[in-house]
Amino acid sequence: MTTIGATAVLDRNGLNGLVAELMAGGRTVVGPTVRDGAIVLAVLDSAEQLPYGWGVELEAGRYRLRRREDEAAFAHSAGPQSWKNFLHPQREKLWSADRAPDGTVAISTETAERPSYAFLGVRPCDLRAIAIQDRVLTGGHFKDSGYEERRRGAFLIAAECTEPGATCFCVSMGGGPGADAGFDLALTEVIDDTGHRFFVRVGSEAGAELLARVPHREGDASTRDAAVSAVSEAVDKMGRAMPPVSLQQLMGSSLEAERWDDVASRCLTCGNCTMVCPTCFCTTTEEVTDLTGDHAERWQRWDSCFDLDFSYVHGGAVRASGRSRYRQWLTHKLGTWHDQFDSSGCVGCGRCIVWCPVGIDITEEAAALHEEAEARKKETDR
Ligand code: SF4
Ligand code: SF4
């Protein structure tokens, strides 16, 4: 019998069967696939749509697809989207109101159907990001009911990292390329002389039930050892690292740092970093009416602390300069997030580095703030 903690091995056909079973059970399966020159997250009709044979080259402000010499499906790092695009979508209608000819107004809170998702290929950094969004959006006094509903029904299949990108730094954020919790099934892709296969670990009852319905074989020692060593080798392949200091303290002591002027001279305040970040959660609401004025809708949509309106308070924006907005983003993400949610707001996925149009690198900024703090300390000690 398949149980939590059990292991198994799936081949490519087995993975196809897994996706087919999920779909037959009414789930919308989302996973990585090649589209528009990138590996994006999209609804899949089959596991054959995974990016077999594709990898990526990442650098600050640069993303390129590249053909691989093997047929690996999960040997690529984070793309432009994260799972928040599905769990916490960019736009969602909250309610609508209709005025009848007699002047009475009827309010409807009917929302679009919320799919029962299965996410295939969730990276360990993204598992941590989902856990952070769970705390933010369902763990406090103000719950996001849409997120809560989508999250409650979601089935998560993790894909451990064996080839981190040049912009990855999860290890220095206390994470790593291995998946330790928060999944229903965890896959580790293995390609060696014995063939192309996926080592599977069962993380939940639902995962055990699904696996039992799919052709698989029991986990063998050689596949397990190959999977474990691929993940442990990935620890040393991180392209970047944060300075090895308390980032929370560093942010707290850097509020007047000169580096904010330097980064502000490069930052376009475009907000891309907040859009791609898997933990950024801020939203605003907007009302729209039709031309008759008899139908109105209220929508929730993503917002960004880089928008001038974000800090607008009766008559003006509190953070009017780019300097103050970048500082707000970084000090919240790495510093005050701990006070609010008991963790960092950064999981080290590297997306904000890749998708910043001017290549601003969060690890480089933190390192520069650290150097400046050290120089200040030396000056004071003299
Ligand atoms: S701040 Fe950047 S590296 Fe950290 S989680 Fe967000 S996008 Fe990823
Ligand atoms: S850091 Fe980069 S992505 Fe973020 S707002 Fe500035 S220019 Fe845009």
CSV table of all heavy atoms in Angstrom, one decimal, residues 195-253:
chain,number,residue,atom,x,y,z
A,195,GLY,N,18.6,5.3,-17.3
A,195,GLY,CA,17.4,5.9,-18.0
A,195,GLY,C,16.9,7.2,-17.4
A,195,GLY,O,17.5,7.7,-16.4
A,196,HIS,N,15.8,7.7,-17.9
A,196,HIS,CA,15.2,9.0,-17.5
A,196,HIS,C,14.0,8.6,-16.7
A,196,HIS,O,13.1,7.9,-17.1
A,196,HIS,CB,14.8,9.7,-18.8
A,196,HIS,CG,14.3,11.1,-18.5
A,196,HIS,ND1,13.9,11.9,-19.5
A,196,HIS,CD2,14.1,11.8,-17.4
A,196,HIS,CE1,13.4,13.1,-19.0
A,196,HIS,NE2,13.6,13.0,-17.7
A,197,ARG,N,14.0,9.1,-15.4
A,197,ARG,CA,12.9,8.7,-14.5
A,197,ARG,C,12.8,9.7,-13.4
A,197,ARG,O,13.6,10.6,-13.3
A,197,ARG,CB,13.2,7.3,-13.9
A,197,ARG,CG,14.4,7.2,-13.2
A,197,ARG,CD,15.0,5.7,-13.3
A,197,ARG,NE,16.1,5.5,-12.4
A,197,ARG,CZ,17.4,5.8,-12.7
A,197,ARG,NH1,17.7,6.5,-13.8
A,197,ARG,NH2,18.4,5.5,-11.9
A,198,PHE,N,11.7,9.6,-12.6
A,198,PHE,CA,11.4,10.5,-11.6
A,198,PHE,C,11.3,9.8,-10.3
A,198,PHE,O,10.4,8.9,-10.2
A,198,PHE,CB,10.1,11.3,-11.9
A,198,PHE,CG,10.1,12.0,-13.2
A,198,PHE,CD1,9.7,11.3,-14.4
A,198,PHE,CD2,10.6,13.3,-13.3
A,198,PHE,CE1,9.8,12.0,-15.6
A,198,PHE,CE2,10.7,13.9,-14.5
A,198,PHE,CZ,10.3,13.3,-15.7
A,199,PHE,N,12.1,10.1,-9.3
A,199,PHE,CA,12.0,9.6,-8.0
A,199,PHE,C,10.9,10.3,-7.3
A,199,PHE,O,10.9,11.5,-7.3
A,199,PHE,CB,13.4,9.7,-7.2
A,199,PHE,CG,13.4,9.0,-5.9
A,199,PHE,CD1,13.3,7.6,-5.8
A,199,PHE,CD2,13.4,9.8,-4.7
A,199,PHE,CE1,13.4,7.0,-4.6
A,199,PHE,CE2,13.4,9.2,-3.5
A,199,PHE,CZ,13.4,7.8,-3.4
A,200,VAL,N,10.0,9.6,-6.7
A,200,VAL,CA,8.8,10.2,-6.1
A,200,VAL,C,8.8,9.9,-4.6
A,200,VAL,O,9.0,8.8,-4.1
A,200,VAL,CB,7.5,9.6,-6.7
A,200,VAL,CG1,6.3,10.4,-6.2
A,200,VAL,CG2,7.5,9.6,-8.2
A,201,ARG,N,8.5,11.0,-3.8
A,201,ARG,CA,8.2,10.9,-2.4
A,201,ARG,C,6.8,11.3,-2.1
A,201,ARG,O,6.4,12.3,-2.6
A,201,ARG,CB,9.2,11.7,-1.5
A,201,ARG,CG,10.6,11.1,-1.5
A,201,ARG,CD,11.5,12.0,-0.7
A,201,ARG,NE,11.8,13.3,-1.2
A,201,ARG,CZ,11.7,14.4,-0.5
A,201,ARG,NH1,11.3,14.4,0.7
A,201,ARG,NH2,11.9,15.6,-1.1
A,202,VAL,N,6.1,10.5,-1.3
A,202,VAL,CA,4.7,10.8,-1.0
A,202,VAL,C,4.7,11.7,0.3
A,202,VAL,O,5.2,11.4,1.3
A,202,VAL,CB,3.9,9.5,-0.7
A,202,VAL,CG1,2.5,9.8,-0.3
A,202,VAL,CG2,4.0,8.6,-2.0
A,203,GLY,N,3.9,12.8,0.1
A,203,GLY,CA,3.9,13.8,1.3
A,203,GLY,C,2.5,13.9,1.9
A,203,GLY,O,2.4,14.6,2.9
A,204,SER,N,1.5,13.3,1.4
A,204,SER,CA,0.2,13.4,2.0
A,204,SER,C,-0.7,12.2,1.6
A,204,SER,O,-0.4,11.5,0.7
A,204,SER,CB,-0.5,14.7,1.5
A,204,SER,OG,-0.9,14.5,0.1
A,205,GLU,N,-1.8,12.1,2.3
A,205,GLU,CA,-2.8,11.0,1.9
A,205,GLU,C,-3.3,11.2,0.5
A,205,GLU,O,-3.4,10.2,-0.2
A,205,GLU,CB,-4.0,11.1,2.9
A,205,GLU,CG,-3.7,10.8,4.3
A,205,GLU,CD,-3.4,9.4,4.6
A,205,GLU,OE1,-3.6,8.5,3.7
A,205,GLU,OE2,-2.9,9.0,5.7
A,206,ALA,N,-3.5,12.4,0.1
A,206,ALA,CA,-4.0,12.7,-1.2
A,206,ALA,C,-3.0,12.2,-2.2
A,206,ALA,O,-3.3,11.7,-3.3
A,206,ALA,CB,-4.4,14.1,-1.4
A,207,GLY,N,-1.7,12.5,-1.9
A,207,GLY,CA,-0.6,12.1,-2.8
A,207,GLY,C,-0.5,10.6,-2.9
A,207,GLY,O,-0.3,10.0,-4.0
A,208,ALA,N,-0.7,9.9,-1.8
A,208,ALA,CA,-0.6,8.4,-1.7
A,208,ALA,C,-1.8,7.9,-2.6
A,208,ALA,O,-1.6,6.9,-3.4
A,208,ALA,CB,-0.7,7.9,-0.3
A,209,GLU,N,-3.0,8.5,-2.4
A,209,GLU,CA,-4.1,7.9,-3.2
A,209,GLU,C,-3.9,8.1,-4.7
A,209,GLU,O,-4.2,7.2,-5.5
A,209,GLU,CB,-5.4,8.7,-2.8
A,209,GLU,CG,-6.0,8.2,-1.5
A,209,GLU,CD,-7.1,9.1,-1.0
A,209,GLU,OE1,-7.7,9.8,-1.8
A,209,GLU,OE2,-7.2,9.1,0.3
A,210,LEU,N,-3.4,9.3,-5.1
A,210,LEU,CA,-3.2,9.5,-6.5
A,210,LEU,C,-2.1,8.5,-7.1
A,210,LEU,O,-2.3,7.9,-8.1
A,210,LEU,CB,-2.7,10.9,-6.8
A,210,LEU,CG,-2.4,11.2,-8.2
A,210,LEU,CD1,-3.7,11.2,-9.1
A,210,LEU,CD2,-1.7,12.6,-8.4
A,211,LEU,N,-1.0,8.4,-6.3
A,211,LEU,CA,0.1,7.6,-6.8
A,211,LEU,C,-0.4,6.1,-7.0
A,211,LEU,O,0.0,5.4,-7.9
A,211,LEU,CB,1.3,7.6,-5.9
A,211,LEU,CG,2.5,6.9,-6.3
A,211,LEU,CD1,3.1,7.6,-7.6
A,211,LEU,CD2,3.6,6.9,-5.2
A,212,ALA,N,-1.3,5.7,-6.1
A,212,ALA,CA,-1.7,4.3,-6.2
A,212,ALA,C,-2.5,4.0,-7.4
A,212,ALA,O,-2.6,2.9,-7.9
A,212,ALA,CB,-2.6,4.0,-4.9
A,213,ARG,N,-3.1,5.1,-8.1
A,213,ARG,CA,-3.9,4.9,-9.3
A,213,ARG,C,-3.0,5.0,-10.6
A,213,ARG,O,-3.6,4.9,-11.7
A,213,ARG,CB,-5.0,6.0,-9.3
A,213,ARG,CG,-6.0,5.9,-8.2
A,213,ARG,CD,-7.3,6.5,-8.5
A,213,ARG,NE,-7.1,8.0,-8.8
A,213,ARG,CZ,-7.2,8.9,-7.8
A,213,ARG,NH1,-7.3,8.6,-6.6
A,213,ARG,NH2,-7.0,10.2,-8.2
A,214,VAL,N,-1.7,5.2,-10.4
A,214,VAL,CA,-0.9,5.5,-11.6
A,214,VAL,C,0.2,4.4,-11.6
A,214,VAL,O,0.7,4.0,-10.6
A,214,VAL,CB,-0.2,6.8,-11.4
A,214,VAL,CG1,0.8,7.1,-12.5
A,214,VAL,CG2,-1.2,8.0,-11.3
A,215,PRO,N,0.5,3.9,-12.9
A,215,PRO,CA,1.5,2.8,-13.0
A,215,PRO,C,2.9,3.3,-12.5
A,215,PRO,O,3.3,4.4,-12.9
A,215,PRO,CB,1.6,2.5,-14.5
A,215,PRO,CG,0.4,3.2,-15.1
A,215,PRO,CD,-0.1,4.2,-14.1
A,216,HIS,N,3.4,2.7,-11.5
A,216,HIS,CA,4.7,3.1,-11.0
A,216,HIS,C,5.4,1.8,-10.4
A,216,HIS,O,4.8,0.8,-10.3
A,216,HIS,CB,4.6,4.1,-9.9
A,216,HIS,CG,3.8,3.6,-8.7
A,216,HIS,ND1,2.5,3.6,-8.5
A,216,HIS,CD2,4.3,3.0,-7.5
A,216,HIS,CE1,2.1,3.0,-7.4
A,216,HIS,NE2,3.2,2.7,-6.7
A,217,ARG,N,6.7,2.0,-10.1
A,217,ARG,CA,7.4,0.9,-9.4
A,217,ARG,C,7.9,1.5,-8.1
A,217,ARG,O,8.0,2.7,-7.9
A,217,ARG,CB,8.5,0.2,-10.3
A,217,ARG,CG,9.6,1.1,-10.7
A,217,ARG,CD,10.5,0.4,-11.7
A,217,ARG,NE,11.4,1.2,-12.4
A,217,ARG,CZ,12.5,1.7,-11.9
A,217,ARG,NH1,12.9,1.4,-10.7
A,217,ARG,NH2,13.3,2.5,-12.7
A,218,GLU,N,8.2,0.5,-7.2
A,218,GLU,CA,8.7,1.0,-5.9
A,218,GLU,C,10.0,1.7,-6.0
A,218,GLU,O,10.8,1.4,-6.9
A,218,GLU,CB,8.9,-0.2,-5.0
A,218,GLU,CG,7.6,-0.5,-4.2
A,218,GLU,CD,7.8,-1.7,-3.2
A,218,GLU,OE1,8.9,-1.8,-2.7
A,218,GLU,OE2,6.8,-2.4,-3.0
A,219,GLY,N,10.3,2.6,-5.1
A,219,GLY,CA,11.5,3.4,-5.1
A,219,GLY,C,12.7,2.4,-4.9
A,219,GLY,O,12.7,1.7,-3.9
A,220,ASP,N,13.7,2.4,-5.8
A,220,ASP,CA,14.9,1.6,-5.6
A,220,ASP,C,16.0,2.4,-5.1
A,220,ASP,O,16.1,3.6,-5.2
A,220,ASP,CB,15.2,0.9,-6.9
A,220,ASP,CG,15.5,1.9,-8.0
A,220,ASP,OD1,14.6,2.4,-8.7
A,220,ASP,OD2,16.7,2.2,-8.2
A,221,ALA,N,17.0,1.7,-4.5
A,221,ALA,CA,18.1,2.4,-3.9
A,221,ALA,C,19.0,3.2,-4.9
A,221,ALA,O,19.4,4.3,-4.6
A,221,ALA,CB,19.0,1.3,-3.2
A,222,SER,N,19.1,2.7,-6.1
A,222,SER,CA,20.0,3.4,-7.0
A,222,SER,C,19.4,4.7,-7.5
A,222,SER,O,20.0,5.7,-7.6
A,222,SER,CB,20.5,2.5,-8.1
A,222,SER,OG,19.8,2.8,-9.3
A,223,THR,N,18.0,4.7,-7.7
A,223,THR,CA,17.4,5.9,-8.1
A,223,THR,C,17.3,6.9,-6.9
A,223,THR,O,17.6,8.1,-7.1
A,223,THR,CB,15.9,5.6,-8.6
A,223,THR,OG1,16.0,4.6,-9.6
A,223,THR,CG2,15.3,6.9,-9.2
A,224,ARG,N,17.1,6.4,-5.7
A,224,ARG,CA,17.1,7.2,-4.6
A,224,ARG,C,18.4,7.9,-4.4
A,224,ARG,O,18.5,9.1,-4.2
A,224,ARG,CB,16.7,6.4,-3.3
A,224,ARG,CG,16.6,7.3,-2.1
A,224,ARG,CD,16.7,6.5,-0.8
A,224,ARG,NE,18.0,5.8,-0.8
A,224,ARG,CZ,18.1,4.6,-0.3
A,224,ARG,NH1,17.1,3.9,0.2
A,224,ARG,NH2,19.3,4.0,-0.3
A,225,ASP,N,19.5,7.1,-4.5
A,225,ASP,CA,20.9,7.7,-4.2
A,225,ASP,C,21.2,8.7,-5.3
A,225,ASP,O,21.8,9.8,-5.0
A,225,ASP,CB,21.9,6.6,-4.3
A,225,ASP,CG,21.8,5.7,-3.1
A,225,ASP,OD1,21.0,6.0,-2.1
A,225,ASP,OD2,22.4,4.6,-3.0
A,226,ALA,N,20.8,8.4,-6.5
A,226,ALA,CA,21.1,9.4,-7.6
A,226,ALA,C,20.3,10.7,-7.4
A,226,ALA,O,20.8,11.8,-7.6
A,226,ALA,CB,20.7,8.8,-9.0
A,227,ALA,N,19.0,10.6,-6.9
A,227,ALA,CA,18.2,11.8,-6.6
A,227,ALA,C,18.8,12.6,-5.5
A,227,ALA,O,19.0,13.8,-5.6
A,227,ALA,CB,16.8,11.3,-6.3
A,228,VAL,N,19.2,11.9,-4.4
A,228,VAL,CA,19.7,12.6,-3.2
A,228,VAL,C,21.0,13.3,-3.6
A,228,VAL,O,21.3,14.4,-3.2
A,228,VAL,CB,20.0,11.6,-2.1
A,228,VAL,CG1,20.8,12.2,-0.9
A,228,VAL,CG2,18.6,11.0,-1.5
A,229,SER,N,21.9,12.6,-4.4
A,229,SER,CA,23.2,13.3,-4.7
A,229,SER,C,23.0,14.4,-5.7
A,229,SER,O,23.7,15.4,-5.5
A,229,SER,CB,24.3,12.3,-5.1
A,229,SER,OG,24.1,11.9,-6.4
A,230,ALA,N,22.0,14.3,-6.6
A,230,ALA,CA,21.8,15.4,-7.5
A,230,ALA,C,21.3,16.7,-6.7
A,230,ALA,O,21.7,17.8,-7.0
A,230,ALA,CB,20.7,15.1,-8.5
A,231,VAL,N,20.5,16.5,-5.7
A,231,VAL,CA,20.0,17.6,-4.9
A,231,VAL,C,21.1,18.2,-4.0
A,231,VAL,O,21.2,19.4,-3.9
A,231,VAL,CB,18.7,17.2,-4.1
A,231,VAL,CG1,18.3,18.3,-3.1
A,231,VAL,CG2,17.6,16.9,-5.0
A,232,SER,N,21.9,17.3,-3.4
A,232,SER,CA,22.9,17.8,-2.6
A,232,SER,C,24.0,18.5,-3.4
A,232,SER,O,24.6,19.5,-2.9
A,232,SER,CB,23.5,16.8,-1.6
A,232,SER,OG,24.0,15.7,-2.3
A,233,GLU,N,24.3,18.0,-4.6
A,233,GLU,CA,25.3,18.8,-5.4
A,233,GLU,C,24.7,20.2,-5.8
A,233,GLU,O,25.5,21.1,-6.0
A,233,GLU,CB,25.5,18.0,-6.7
A,233,GLU,CG,26.6,16.9,-6.5
A,233,GLU,CD,26.6,15.9,-7.7
A,233,GLU,OE1,26.2,16.2,-8.8
A,233,GLU,OE2,26.9,14.7,-7.4
A,234,ALA,N,23.4,20.2,-5.9
A,234,ALA,CA,22.8,21.5,-6.3
A,234,ALA,C,23.0,22.6,-5.3
A,234,ALA,O,23.0,23.8,-5.6
A,234,ALA,CB,21.3,21.4,-6.6
A,235,VAL,N,23.2,22.2,-4.0
A,235,VAL,CA,23.5,23.2,-2.9
A,235,VAL,C,24.6,24.0,-3.3
A,235,VAL,O,24.7,25.3,-3.0
A,235,VAL,CB,23.7,22.4,-1.6
A,235,VAL,CG1,24.2,23.4,-0.5
A,235,VAL,CG2,22.4,21.7,-1.2
A,236,ASP,N,25.7,23.4,-3.9
A,236,ASP,CA,26.9,24.2,-4.2
A,236,ASP,C,26.9,24.9,-5.6
A,236,ASP,O,27.9,25.4,-6.0
A,236,ASP,CB,28.1,23.2,-4.2
A,236,ASP,CG,28.3,22.6,-2.8
A,236,ASP,OD1,28.0,23.3,-1.8
A,236,ASP,OD2,28.6,21.4,-2.7
A,237,LYS,N,25.7,24.8,-6.3
A,237,LYS,CA,25.7,25.4,-7.6
A,237,LYS,C,24.9,26.7,-7.6
A,237,LYS,O,24.5,27.1,-8.7
A,237,LYS,CB,25.0,24.4,-8.6
A,237,LYS,CG,25.8,23.1,-8.9
A,237,LYS,CD,25.1,22.3,-10.0
A,237,LYS,CE,25.6,20.9,-10.1
A,237,LYS,NZ,24.7,20.0,-10.8
A,238,MET,N,24.6,27.2,-6.4
A,238,MET,CA,23.8,28.5,-6.4
A,238,MET,C,24.6,29.6,-7.0
A,238,MET,O,25.8,29.7,-6.7
A,238,MET,CB,23.5,28.9,-5.0
A,238,MET,CG,22.6,27.9,-4.2
A,238,MET,SD,20.9,28.0,-4.9
A,238,MET,CE,20.5,26.2,-4.8
A,239,GLY,N,24.0,30.3,-7.9
A,239,GLY,CA,24.7,31.4,-8.6
A,239,GLY,C,25.0,32.6,-7.8
A,239,GLY,O,26.0,33.3,-8.1
A,240,ARG,N,24.3,32.8,-6.7
A,240,ARG,CA,24.5,34.0,-5.9
A,240,ARG,C,24.3,33.6,-4.4
A,240,ARG,O,23.7,32.6,-4.1
A,240,ARG,CB,23.5,35.1,-6.3
A,240,ARG,CG,23.9,35.9,-7.6
A,240,ARG,CD,22.8,36.7,-8.1
A,240,ARG,NE,23.2,37.7,-9.0
A,240,ARG,CZ,23.6,37.5,-10.3
A,240,ARG,NH1,23.7,36.3,-10.7
A,240,ARG,NH2,23.9,38.5,-11.1
A,241,ALA,N,24.6,34.6,-3.6
A,241,ALA,CA,24.4,34.4,-2.2
A,241,ALA,C,24.2,35.8,-1.5
A,241,ALA,O,24.7,36.8,-2.0
A,241,ALA,CB,25.6,33.7,-1.5
A,242,MET,N,23.4,35.8,-0.5
A,242,MET,CA,23.2,37.0,0.3
A,242,MET,C,24.4,37.1,1.3
A,242,MET,O,25.0,36.1,1.6
A,242,MET,CB,22.0,36.9,1.2
A,242,MET,CG,20.7,37.3,0.4
A,242,MET,SD,20.7,39.1,0.1
A,242,MET,CE,19.1,39.3,-0.5
A,243,PRO,N,24.8,38.3,1.7
A,243,PRO,CA,25.9,38.4,2.7
A,243,PRO,C,25.5,37.6,4.0
A,243,PRO,O,24.3,37.6,4.4
A,243,PRO,CB,26.0,39.9,3.0
A,243,PRO,CG,24.8,40.5,2.4
A,243,PRO,CD,24.3,39.6,1.4
A,244,PRO,N,26.5,36.9,4.6
A,244,PRO,CA,26.1,36.0,5.7
A,244,PRO,C,26.0,36.8,7.0
A,244,PRO,O,26.7,36.6,8.0
A,244,PRO,CB,27.3,35.0,5.8
A,244,PRO,CG,28.4,35.8,5.2
A,244,PRO,CD,27.9,36.8,4.2
A,245,VAL,N,25.0,37.7,7.1
A,245,VAL,CA,24.7,38.5,8.3
A,245,VAL,C,23.2,38.4,8.5
A,245,VAL,O,22.5,38.0,7.7
A,245,VAL,CB,25.2,39.9,8.1
A,245,VAL,CG1,26.7,40.0,7.9
A,245,VAL,CG2,24.5,40.6,6.9
A,246,SER,N,22.8,39.0,9.7
A,246,SER,CA,21.4,39.1,9.9
A,246,SER,C,20.9,40.2,9.0
A,246,SER,O,21.1,41.4,9.2
A,246,SER,CB,21.1,39.4,11.4
A,246,SER,OG,19.8,40.0,11.4
A,247,LEU,N,20.1,39.8,8.0
A,247,LEU,CA,19.6,40.8,7.0
A,247,LEU,C,18.6,41.7,7.7
A,247,LEU,O,18.4,42.9,7.4
A,247,LEU,CB,19.0,40.1,5.8
A,247,LEU,CG,20.0,39.4,5.0
A,247,LEU,CD1,19.3,38.5,3.9
A,247,LEU,CD2,21.0,40.3,4.3
A,248,GLN,N,17.9,41.1,8.7
A,248,GLN,CA,16.9,41.9,9.4
A,248,GLN,C,17.6,43.1,10.2
A,248,GLN,O,17.1,44.2,10.1
A,248,GLN,CB,16.2,41.0,10.4
A,248,GLN,CG,15.0,41.7,11.1
A,248,GLN,CD,14.3,40.8,12.2
A,248,GLN,OE1,14.8,39.7,12.5
A,248,GLN,NE2,13.2,41.2,12.7
A,249,GLN,N,18.7,42.8,10.8
A,249,GLN,CA,19.4,43.8,11.6
A,249,GLN,C,20.0,44.8,10.6
A,249,GLN,O,20.0,46.0,10.8
A,249,GLN,CB,20.5,43.2,12.4
A,249,GLN,CG,20.0,42.7,13.7
A,249,GLN,CD,21.1,42.0,14.5
A,249,GLN,OE1,22.3,42.1,14.2
A,249,GLN,NE2,20.6,41.2,15.5
A,250,LEU,N,20.6,44.2,9.5
A,250,LEU,CA,21.2,45.1,8.5
A,250,LEU,C,20.2,46.1,7.9
A,250,LEU,O,20.5,47.3,7.8
A,250,LEU,CB,21.8,44.3,7.3
A,250,LEU,CG,22.4,45.0,6.1
A,250,LEU,CD1,23.6,45.9,6.6
A,250,LEU,CD2,22.8,44.1,5.0
A,251,MET,N,19.0,45.7,7.6
A,251,MET,CA,18.0,46.6,7.1
A,251,MET,C,17.6,47.6,8.1
A,251,MET,O,17.5,48.8,7.8
A,251,MET,CB,16.7,45.8,6.7
A,251,MET,CG,16.9,44.9,5.5
A,251,MET,SD,17.5,45.8,4.0
A,251,MET,CE,19.0,44.9,3.6
A,252,GLY,N,17.5,47.2,9.4
A,252,GLY,CA,17.1,48.1,10.5
A,252,GLY,C,18.1,49.2,10.7
A,252,GLY,O,17.8,50.3,11.1
A,253,SER,N,19.4,48.9,10.4
A,253,SER,CA,20.5,49.8,10.7
A,253,SER,C,20.9,50.6,9.5
A,253,SER,O,21.8,51.4,9.5
A,253,SER,CB,21.7,49.1,11.3
A,253,SER,OG,22.2,48.2,10.3
